[in-house]
Amino acid sequence: VNQILLLLLVLTVCAILYNKVHQVPLALKNEMVDLESPEEMEEEIPVVICAAAGRMGAAVAAISSIYSNTEANVLFYIVGLKTTIPHIRKWIENSKLKEIKFKVVEFNPMVLRGKIRQDASRPELLQPLNFVRFYLPLLIQKHEKVIYLDDDVIVQGDIQELYDTKLAPGHAAAFSDDCDLPSTHEMVRSVGMQNTYMGFLDYRKQAVRDLGISPSTCSFNPGVIVANMTEWKHQRITKQLEKWMQRNVEENLYSSTLGGGVATSPMLIVFHGKYSSINPMWHIRHLGWSPDARYSEQFLQEAKLLHWNGRYKPWDYPSVHTDLWENWFIPDPSGKFKLTRPDS
């Protein structure tokens, strides 16, 4: 009798264990499906934008346009100086942008000490945040691929498309050529803007001639960058850029009176012949180069990204195509940043 009871007990225990063993995998499978669902595993797209004093509304409009036109998992790295960070954080947290994923990163301007030649013609171009793009690997640690955008842009397309830009093996970055679209050629001619290396480097200097770069070589615009951080670090791009900044301090190889910016010239040197191309519709520029020259409305509607590079910004007056920019502007809850308009 005892043996029979023991056998029944063993069979009962086995039956219970059998049920549990066959139920557990189902539960684990459900958990694994949740963990590996597309929503959870979706790739994060890091976008770096600077928030400078006096033009934070630009960064807000750029972020607003990106966030509104994509379903992608975007993480915004908003770079500022210590004195401006509280303002931009408050702006975001007290507006409809409070839903975005973002990190505020402080940029220490001390890294630029001794590397910037003073130039009185356009002192705004010497602001520390203009050089943030040189130091991307120091600011962004965990990402293989990064998008950098100037603050004076709006994005009308899905940022995922820009992020998917293919970089050739060995290339640390992709840019837009200044000779890539007939429509921008017309704009360049109408405002007398340079789109070759001659417009950015002083070819009277031996150090520039020694580069062996033809002055008629088409330039590129570093206001929109898709960067490979592994290649950037491997090639020591930041160190190369700093070397040319220091040489400019000593030899005055380029200035803001040439191409309109001192952050572009070192990049033209370091990346010459070693960069991939961005779809030209993802960087329609020169909107801020003249208060009169305009693109056709149809062309602008087809553009994926608009860039008001130049003196005439869409939050100031005079400027052109301001309606396209204002579509994405979010007023400052603190009231510190105000648009400049003819009737203001």
Side-chain angles (χ1 to χ4, degrees), residues 26 50 55 83 129 143 176 182 228 232-233 242 256-257 261 279 314 341:
L26 182 59
C50 295
R55 48 192 291 162
T83 54
L129 295 182
H143 301 282
S176 290
N228 180 309
W232 193 292
K233 288 181 279 191
E242 287 184 326
S256 62
T257 56
N279 180 334
R341 294 295 180 255

Side-chain angles (χ1 to χ4, degrees), residues 7 12 22 27 64 75 94-95 129 140 177 195 264 269 280 310 328:
L7 179 61
T12 302
H22 282 76
S64 173
L75 172 60
N94 290 276
S95 71
L129 295 182
I140 312 301
D177 286 319
N195 63 354
T264 297
I269 295 172
W328 307 108

Side-chain angles (χ1 to χ4, degrees), residues 176-180 184 221 283-287 295 307 309:
S176 290
D177 286 319
D178 284 329
C179 309
D180 55 13
T184 57
N221 187 299
H283 195 178
I284 302 305
R285 46 212 176 276
H286 314 319
L287 278 76
Y295 287 109
H307 187 185
N309 59 310

Side-chain angles (χ1 to χ4, degrees), residues 9-76:
L9 179 60
V10 170
L11 290 173
T12 302
V13 171
C14 289
I16 293 171
L17 290 174
Y18 179 87
N19 287 333
K20 287 185 175 294
V21 166
H22 282 76
Q23 288 172 0
V24 169
L26 182 59
L28 287 177
K29 184 178 180 182
N30 288 340
E31 291 176 9
M32 290 174 68
V33 167
D34 290 339
L35 289 172
E36 295 179 356
S37 63
E39 291 76 16
E40 293 294 330
M41 299 300 291
E42 185 180 15
E43 187 173 14
E44 205 167 55
I45 298 178
V47 177
V48 179
I49 295 180
C50 295
R55 48 192 291 162
M56 287 189 193
V60 167
I63 292 168
S64 173
S65 69
I66 295 166
Y67 181 66
S68 300
N69 286 306
T70 188
E71 296 294 327
N73 181 22
V74 180
L75 172 60
F76 293 96

Side-chain angles (χ1 to χ4, degrees), residues 53-102:
R55 48 192 291 162
M56 287 189 193
V60 167
I63 292 168
S64 173
S65 69
I66 295 166
Y67 181 66
S68 300
N69 286 306
T70 188
E71 296 294 327
N73 181 22
V74 180
L75 172 60
F76 293 96
Y77 284 86
I78 303 170
V79 186
L81 302 180
K82 186 175 183 179
T83 54
T84 62
I85 284 175
H87 186 188
I88 191 66
R89 186 184 293 277
K90 182 178 179 182
W91 197 331
I92 290 171
E93 292 176 348
N94 290 276
S95 71
K96 65 182 183 181
L97 291 180
K98 62 187 176 184
E99 302 298 328
I100 70 170
K101 291 172 60 178
F102 74 100

Side-chain angles (χ1 to χ4, degrees), residues 37-297:
S37 63
E39 291 76 16
E40 293 294 330
M41 299 300 291
E42 185 180 15
E43 187 173 14
E44 205 167 55
I45 298 178
V47 177
V48 179
I49 295 180
C50 295
R55 48 192 291 162
M56 287 189 193
V60 167
I63 292 168
S64 173
S65 69
I66 295 166
Y67 181 66
S68 300
N69 286 306
T70 188
E71 296 294 327
N73 181 22
V74 180
L75 172 60
F76 293 96
Y77 284 86
I78 303 170
V79 186
L81 302 180
K82 186 175 183 179
T83 54
T84 62
I85 284 175
H87 186 188
I88 191 66
R89 186 184 293 277
K90 182 178 179 182
W91 197 331
I92 290 171
E93 292 176 348
N94 290 276
S95 71
K96 65 182 183 181
L97 291 180
K98 62 187 176 184
E99 302 298 328
I100 70 170
K101 291 172 60 178
F102 74 100
K103 293 182 180 180
V104 175
V105 181
E106 180 183 344
F107 182 68
N108 186 352
M110 293 301 293
V111 300
L112 300 172
R113 175 175 284 183
K115 302 182 182 75
I116 300 177
R117 184 183 183 88
Q118 296 304 310
D119 192 328
S121 61
R122 291 192 66 187
E124 75 275 12
L125 297 174
L126 304 178
Q127 296 301 314
L129 295 182
N130 281 340
F131 301 91
V132 161
R133 71 198 89 189
F134 290 14
Y135 297 94
L136 292 176
L138 301 182
L139 301 169
I140 312 301
Q141 301 294 333
K142 67 174 186 173
H143 301 282
E144 168 74 9
K145 197 175 186 181
V146 173
I147 293 174
Y148 167 87
L149 299 177
D150 276 354
D151 60 359
D152 51 356
V153 308
I154 61 163
V155 173
Q156 301 185 137
D158 187 340
I159 199 72
Q160 179 75 56
E161 186 180 328
L162 179 61
Y163 185 75
D164 289 340
T165 298
K166 301 297 183 185
L167 274 67
H171 286 179
F175 306 99
S176 290
D177 286 319
D178 284 329
C179 309
D180 55 13
L181 277 179
S183 296
T184 57
H185 297 175
E186 295 169 13
M187 176 68 79
V188 166
R189 283 195 297 270
S190 69
V191 300
M193 183 181 177
Q194 291 283 348
N195 63 354
T196 66
Y197 273 58
M198 176 65 85
F200 292 88
L201 303 178
D202 188 348
Y203 276 83
R204 295 171 299 179
K205 302 297 173 65
Q206 187 62 43
V208 172
R209 294 197 301 271
D210 287 345
L211 290 168
I213 302 173
S214 168
S216 62
T217 301
C218 183
S219 54
F220 60 80
N221 187 299
V224 176
I225 307 172
V226 181
N228 180 309
M229 292 293 92
T230 300
E231 280 294 337
W232 193 292
K233 288 181 279 191
H234 175 70
Q235 298 179 32
R236 299 171 61 84
I237 296 295
T238 297
K239 289 295 183 184
Q240 292 188 58
L241 292 167
E242 287 184 326
K243 182 191 83 171
W244 285 103
M245 292 169 73
Q246 288 169 330
R247 288 201 67 174
N248 183 58
V249 170
E250 299 162 3
E251 304 174 50
N252 194 21
L253 305 177
Y254 52 84
S255 75
S256 62
T257 56
L258 290 170
V262 293
T264 297
S265 299
M267 300 197 85
L268 290 177
I269 295 172
V270 171
F271 284 101
H272 174 251
K274 296 185 293 186
Y275 66 91
S276 298
S277 295
I278 290 173
N279 180 334
M281 295 306 288
W282 267 100
H283 195 178
I284 302 305
R285 46 212 176 276
H286 314 319
L287 278 76
W289 206 258
S290 166
D292 304 307
R294 304 174 67 93
Y295 287 109
S296 74
E297 292 302 322

